[in-house]
Amino acid sequence: MASYKYNFETNWKFESDIHQVWGLIAGFKYSDWWRGVSSERIYKGSRQDGIGDKYNYVFRTKLSYQLDFVAEIVGKEEPKYLEIKATGELEGRGVWKLSQEGNITHVQYVWQVNANKKWMNRLAPILRPAFVWNHDQVMDEGAKGIAAALGVKLLSY
């Protein structure tokens, strides 16, 4: 297993049906609901389930830099599991796990990546806490975006 410099875990809870949340996350049109994110499919794989499809993402962050990477779908089990492989300015893996308990959908995102921007790696010993804070701010925007797009209550993020 690869060793990653950044290992994040994000947990969100929505008062929503799992299929509604899954539709946004697995729809990959993040720019429709996630502030500061642009997304575009750049390759359509041959599989009907979307495995092999590739999307280009640009995340504009609170700290006035952006991160550009390609996400390839490498695993999928609707509506519970989605795994991507990231290449570009971020390299690694991301795993979305969704579960439903009553009328609450729990979303867990595990993001294990290395940064490929030279300046980030040079400054990481000093700026790592700022990079972690920045990641958390980006993810907060995602949670708020899902809640607003679906018109549901965000219970925790």
Side-chain angles (χ1 to χ4, degrees):
M1 181 148 194
S3 175
Y4 297 106
K5 290 183 183 174
Y6 297 95
N7 291 281
F8 299 106
E9 181 179 326
T10 301
N11 289 280
W12 301 331
K13 288 187 180 178
F14 301 95
E15 198 170 275
S16 175
D17 179 75
I18 191 172
H19 295 282
Q20 290 180 294
V21 178
W22 174 263
L24 290 180
I25 291 171
F28 288 96
K29 295 181 181 178
Y30 292 8
S31 48
D32 289 352
W33 53 268
W34 197 329
R35 192 168 65 151
V37 176
S38 62
S39 59
E40 169 187 20
R41 184 167 61 193
I42 57 172
Y43 177 78
K44 171 96 173 103
S46 60
R47 291 181 52 160
Q48 192 73 5
D49 63 4
I51 293 177
D53 289 4
K54 294 181 182 180
Y55 297 83
N56 189 73
Y57 284 94
V58 178
F59 280 76
R60 285 168 296 290
T61 73
K62 300 281 186 187
L63 292 180
S64 298
Y65 64 84
Q66 67 182 35
L67 294 165
D68 187 344
F69 64 94
V70 172
E72 178 182 356
I73 302 173
V74 295
K76 187 175 182 182
E77 182 187 334
E78 187 174 341
K80 298 177 184 177
Y81 180 84
L82 181 66
E83 182 176 353
I84 63 153
K85 178 177 123 183
T87 55
E89 292 179 341
L90 293 175
E91 185 176 302
R93 66 188 290 264
V95 176
W96 293 98
K97 292 182 183 178
L98 286 73
S99 61
Q100 179 93 43
E101 188 173 321
N103 67 339
I104 307 299
T105 296
H106 177 245
V107 177
Q108 177 191 58
Y109 187 61
V110 174
W111 187 225
Q112 300 171 306
V113 291
N114 291 322
N116 287 329
K117 284 191 168 196
K118 289 180 184 179
W119 73 266
M120 288 183 82
N121 289 326
R122 268 188 253 127
L123 296 174
I126 299 166
L127 293 181
R128 183 180 179 84
F131 295 156
V132 170
W133 174 86
N134 200 40
H135 166 81
D136 292 343
Q137 299 306 303
V138 168
M139 296 306 289
D140 288 353
E141 290 295 333
K144 292 172 187 173
I146 286 177
L150 296 177
V152 300
K153 189 173 183 179
L154 173 59
L155 301 173
S156 68
Y157 64 98

